[in-house]
Every structure is written in C-alpha cells, then in structure tokens.
Amino acid sequence: MLRREGWLVNYKRVHRLYQLEGLQVRMRVRRRKHMCLHRGIVPTATRAVERWSIDFVHDQLLDGRPVRILTVVDQYTRLSPLVEPRFSFKGRDVAAALERATAPGRTPQSITVDHGPEFISRPLEDWAWRYQVKLDFTHPGKPTENAYIESFNGRLRDECLNITQFLSLEDARAKMEAWRIDYNEQRPHSSLGNLTPGEFTRRRHNTETALVARVQ
C-alpha cells in the first residue's frame, strides 16, 4: 500500500518500524492441508458475480450482547458486496440480505455455504430456486472448502472486530460498512495483480465491454 502511494520503502524497513511502534498483528499459522474427498472437481470462478461465498462471524457489543455478522465475498474479484451484523439471523433474514446485495439480472450462479441451519432453511432454498442460484454445500467440518470466505473473515476479525468497540448495533453497522468499503477500494491483493477488488472489478468490466463492442 505504501508503494502504491509513491513511498520508496522495502519490506525490512517497514517491518522494523512496525515493530517499534508496537503494531504487531499475530498472523495465523498456515496449517498443512490434508487430502479430502470431494463430490467432484470444485469449479473455479471465471468472471465476476459468478460464484459467491457466505458465512457467519460472531462478535459482541460493548455491553456484552452477542452479534452475528453475515459476510459475503465474490470468489473471482474478492469484492465483498455485503457485511451485515444482526442480533440474530434466520433463513429469511439471509435471503433478504442476499436480495439487497444483488442487482436485477446480477445474481451469482452458485453460492458456497456450510450446513448451518440458516443455509439449509426453506426460505433460502426458495430464494435460490426463484433466482436459479445453486447452493454449493461444503462437507461438514471442512472450512477449507470455503477458503475465500475464511480468508475474508480472518481479515475482518484482525482489522475490524478485534480493534473496534461497538456501542450499539447501528454503530456496528456503520463501522463494519466503512471497513468493507475500505477493503474493496483501498486493499490491494497480490492474487489480483496488486489491484484492489474494486479496481479489478472495474478493469475486468471495461475489458469485457470493449471485447463485446469489438465483436459487434
């Protein structure tokens, strides 16, 4: 991010200053992945709004009341269209949130989910059937099968939830939405050629639009 802003710095200098300021963030140790059985080859997203991943994160307000956070990420662009905290979620709440996160004619082809009660509920199944969205369930106890959302949730935890106090549900919504926008527009990803999810999405859209115009 510093290099994107024009700073001539290297990794060692930034790391040294980072430590001197006491800004160390404990990074998760990557565990060795074990082989597991799949129902077939996991399809890879090839365009935006093709395959999404969703999950829940748990946190609490300053007064101790628990909060559940629905997170959504696009597997191709890494863009997050929704981060929504609530005191509780039911299947119809998840369906309503996805309804708000999608635009007309822009629903994903599939959504990767686990076997949580909200994701196997009838309201979400009805929503998916209405928009012809496939619910791709992971195997129980295999969070690595939904690695995109696990990675996103880890960033949300480290960079927002662990360092921010939420005074109310409305305060939590405002602060998490600010973080989501910053993540989409300011956070470069090495997997995206050091572009932010927003930049990558717009660049791909412009490229596809130019190709269509050239064919016509």
Side-chain angles (χ1 to χ4, degrees):
M1 292 182 70
L2 289 172
R3 287 171 181 167
R4 284 167 57 89
E5 296 177 2
W7 291 81
L8 299 177
V9 294
N10 58 29
Y11 172 84
K12 292 182 179 179
R13 174 176 295 180
V14 174
H15 188 261
R16 176 173 58 82
L17 295 175
Y18 199 74
Q19 288 184 315
L20 289 175
E21 292 295 327
L23 299 176
Q24 296 94 330
V25 176
R26 187 180 69 175
M27 302 300 292
R28 290 173 173 78
V29 178
R30 291 176 179 250
R31 297 181 179 178
R32 180 170 179 163
K33 295 183 179 179
H34 299 279
M35 295 297 293
C36 61
L37 297 176
H38 292 278
R39 288 168 291 182
I41 299 176
V42 178
T44 301
T46 59
R47 57 180 174 81
V49 198
E50 180 181 12
R51 305 189 188 282
W52 284 2
S53 291
I54 64 176
D55 198 7
F56 285 108
V57 181
H58 299 266
D59 204 66
Q60 63 181 21
L61 302 182
L62 185 61
D63 59 12
R65 285 182 291 173
V67 175
R68 301 188 72 195
I69 307 153
L70 178 67
T71 55
V72 184
V73 69
D74 187 293
Q75 296 181 13
Y76 184 70
T77 65
R78 307 300 197 273
L79 190 82
S80 173
L82 180 72
V83 174
E84 180 168 325
R86 293 174 62 99
F87 288 124
S88 63
F89 271 96
K90 295 183 179 180
R92 63 174 178 270
D93 300 319
V94 175
L98 291 174
E99 183 81 27
R100 293 192 297 272
T102 55
R106 295 282 289 174
T107 53
Q109 176 181 323
S110 70
I111 299 178
T112 304
V113 297
D114 59 26
H115 289 264
E118 300 84 5
F119 300 144
I120 62 176
S121 65
R122 184 62 180 271
L124 184 59
E125 182 182 354
D126 291 343
W127 177 87
W129 181 84
R130 187 165 66 252
Y131 290 100
Q132 298 299 299
V133 177
K134 177 184 176 183
L135 296 179
D136 186 11
F137 290 95
T138 61
H139 289 82
K142 298 292 183 179
T144 54
E145 294 182 9
N146 205 357
Y148 295 101
I149 199 68
E150 292 293 328
S151 176
F152 177 81
N153 289 346
R155 293 299 183 187
L156 174 63
R157 173 70 63 188
D158 288 341
E159 300 170 6
C160 182
L161 305 184
N162 286 349
I163 61 175
T164 309
Q165 290 184 335
F166 305 115
L167 305 180
S168 64
L169 186 60
E170 291 73 21
D171 183 52
R173 284 173 176 160
K175 291 176 178 176
M176 291 182 199
E177 178 64 11
W179 180 87
R180 186 188 70 85
I181 294 173
D182 182 79
Y183 174 89
N184 286 340
E185 301 298 336
Q186 302 298 328
R187 172 60 59 81
H189 286 245
S190 59
S191 60
L192 302 178
N194 288 325
L195 297 175
T196 68
E199 290 171 339
F200 182 78
T201 301
R202 290 187 289 272
R203 181 169 296 187
R204 292 297 300 177
H205 175 72
N206 292 338
T207 301
E208 292 170 0
T209 301
L211 290 174
V212 171
R214 188 179 303 174
V215 171
Q216 292 177 347

